[in-house]
Amino acid sequence: MSWTVASPALVLLLLSLAASLRPLPLHPAWGARFLLAMALATALTVFSTLTWICLVFIATHLPRDLVVALPGAGFIAAHGPVPLPMAMGSAFLGLFGLGSLAAAFVQWRRNRRLLRASLAGIVDDPRPLALAVPGSTGGVVVSSALLTLLSRPQLEVVFRHEHAHLRHHHHLYLGLGTIASRLVPPLRLLRESLRFALERWADEEAAAAVRNRQLVADTIARVALAAPNAPGHLALEQFRVVQRVRALLGHAPSDNPLIGPALVGGTGLATCGTTASSVHLHHVLVLLLI
Amino acid sequence: MTRKRLGQLEAEILAVLASTDAFMSTARLRERLTGDPAYTTVNTVLFRLLDKGLVERRQEGRAYHYRLIANESELAAERMFDHLRIANDPSSVLSQFVDGLSPQEAAALRQVLEQYSGPQ
């Protein structure tokens, strides 16, 4: 087996990184869908490639009589031999991704429990906070600082923004994006772009609802300037808030009624082909188990 | 309306209530919501908001009228967010309305605002 087996995964990974560094000039709603499609396709492809390499390595090292006894094992083994460093590397990356995903899951459960506990009222916090909490017991959580900082029209902007998050199930986008970025660490960059696209999407919905882009821009700026400084661990200055405000002070983006679906559909189709070629191999796994 | 969508309705009701300074009846509030939710559903959410201390109400005739609480003296906040790590937490599926700013970002933001408010 040569390194070319990893080429679909590498191509998708590079495309994903390019897409997150240079966002396409789309309405944020389509931008978010596009980024999510890329994230999922890439994570799936990379992960199945890693699994496949490990499987082949294992199959080539099984005792000969066992290979004969198991249908499919011979087929898998025929793709070998896999160099030891390649198998070790793949196993390490795969296990690291799974471990990281498990850690994220634990953190998510913890956050959810804490949120449920604080949902009984407005939270008393010096930071101006607003959160959309998905789920049956969900809703909007705001801090006392936010309620006293903003005027009623500005509060409407915040609630419209959070409503957009809930209405369009943005937590699912971010959840899937998080899973992808945990399995394949380089996708964290894409996840950040996805998060930004979701915020922009909610901003645009809020602006459409209150029919005042300037008001939305002012609200975001006011909350951002009142919030304490961000922790210094951000490696790269993102200037996300500045970008959001700037975008709102400009014209409303086009809805991309044609380009949006075409692009996301096209990405889906194109990446499906690549992904399928690696996922397809997993059928062999099923064969092996039977 | 499924229970899942109550949270979504809650956000929308808060937005409508925030758009006015006056008390609003459930019927008038309902007219301004999308998706034509049932009267009882709207009431359920309003009770929840009342419980959370986000709205106040007063009786006018036979109906209750509601208003968003946004005044410091009326707020009855108890709980703290201390243990919740949301900002820039890579595993969090929640996103804050606005993340914190670095000093450089704050400077850039002020510059953008000045630029746009200047010519007017």
Side-chain angles (χ1 to χ4, degrees), chain A residues 128-281:
Chain A
L129 291 170
L131 285 172
V133 184
S136 56
T137 53
V140 182
V141 173
V142 286
S143 66
S144 47
L146 185 96
L147 291 173
T148 47
L149 176 74
L150 299 181
S151 68
R152 279 172 186 271
Q154 288 171 331
L155 282 174
E156 186 186 357
V157 169
V158 174
F159 293 134
R160 291 283 177 200
H161 176 101
E162 303 305 333
H163 178 233
H165 278 324
L166 294 170
R167 193 160 89 101
H168 297 292
H169 311 288
H170 285 174
H171 61 286
L172 290 181
Y173 286 74
L174 207 51
L176 290 170
T178 304
I179 292 174
S181 74
R182 285 286 169 152
L183 284 175
V184 184
L187 289 179
R188 281 182 70 162
L189 202 59
L190 192 143
R191 183 188 175 277
E192 281 307 300
S193 297
L194 174 65
R195 209 159 75 90
F196 177 69
L198 294 173
E199 292 305 319
R200 282 277 307 120
W201 184 350
D203 285 348
E204 287 300 331
E205 286 244 332
V210 299
R211 295 196 193 88
N212 187 345
R213 300 179 70 78
Q214 174 92 45
L215 176 65
V216 181
D218 287 345
T219 308
I220 293 170
R222 189 172 172 86
V223 175
L225 290 172
N229 286 348
H233 69 255
L234 281 173
L236 85 204
E237 296 297 341
Q238 304 248 303
F239 292 93
R240 296 297 205 198
V241 174
V242 184
Q243 284 180 47
R244 280 168 68 188
V245 170
R246 208 189 277 277
L248 284 161
L249 291 172
H251 293 293
S254 152
D255 287 343
N256 306 124
L258 283 175
I259 296 177
L263 187 76
V264 174
T267 312
L269 276 180
T271 50
C272 264
T274 329
T275 310
S277 63
S278 36
V279 172
H280 175 70
L281 306 169

Side-chain angles (χ1 to χ4, degrees), chain B residues 33-120:
Chain B
L33 297 170
T34 54
D36 204 18
Y39 192 89
T40 49
T41 313
V42 176
N43 256 338
T44 305
V45 177
L46 282 169
F47 288 149
R48 245 169 57 164
L49 289 173
L50 199 65
D51 254 4
K52 291 182 185 181
L54 267 165
V55 300
E56 55 183 330
R57 73 176 179 190
R58 73 176 181 216
Q59 201 162 8
E60 286 181 18
R62 281 172 56 206
Y64 281 116
H65 290 220
Y66 293 85
R67 181 171 177 265
L68 180 78
I69 291 181
N71 189 325
E72 195 157 13
S73 59
E74 296 161 341
L75 290 174
E78 286 156 14
R79 285 153 213 269
M80 300 284 281
F81 250 153
D82 278 354
H83 308 290
L84 198 63
R85 282 171 44 219
I86 308 156
N88 306 310
D89 178 357
S91 64
S92 177
V93 177
L94 298 158
S95 40
Q96 273 187 73
F97 178 61
V98 171
D99 289 335
L101 290 181
S102 67
Q104 291 91 328
E105 282 181 298
L109 179 57
R110 289 205 174 88
Q111 203 180 349
V112 170
L113 293 174
E114 269 168 33
Q115 214 175 310
Y116 278 90
S117 59
Q120 284 167 16

Side-chain angles (χ1 to χ4, degrees), chain A residues 11-21 35 38-39 42-43 187 190:
Chain A
V11 167
L12 273 177
L13 204 53
L14 286 176
L15 281 175
S16 290
L17 292 185
S20 38
L21 287 175
L35 286 172
M38 287 300 289
T42 308
L187 289 179
L190 192 143

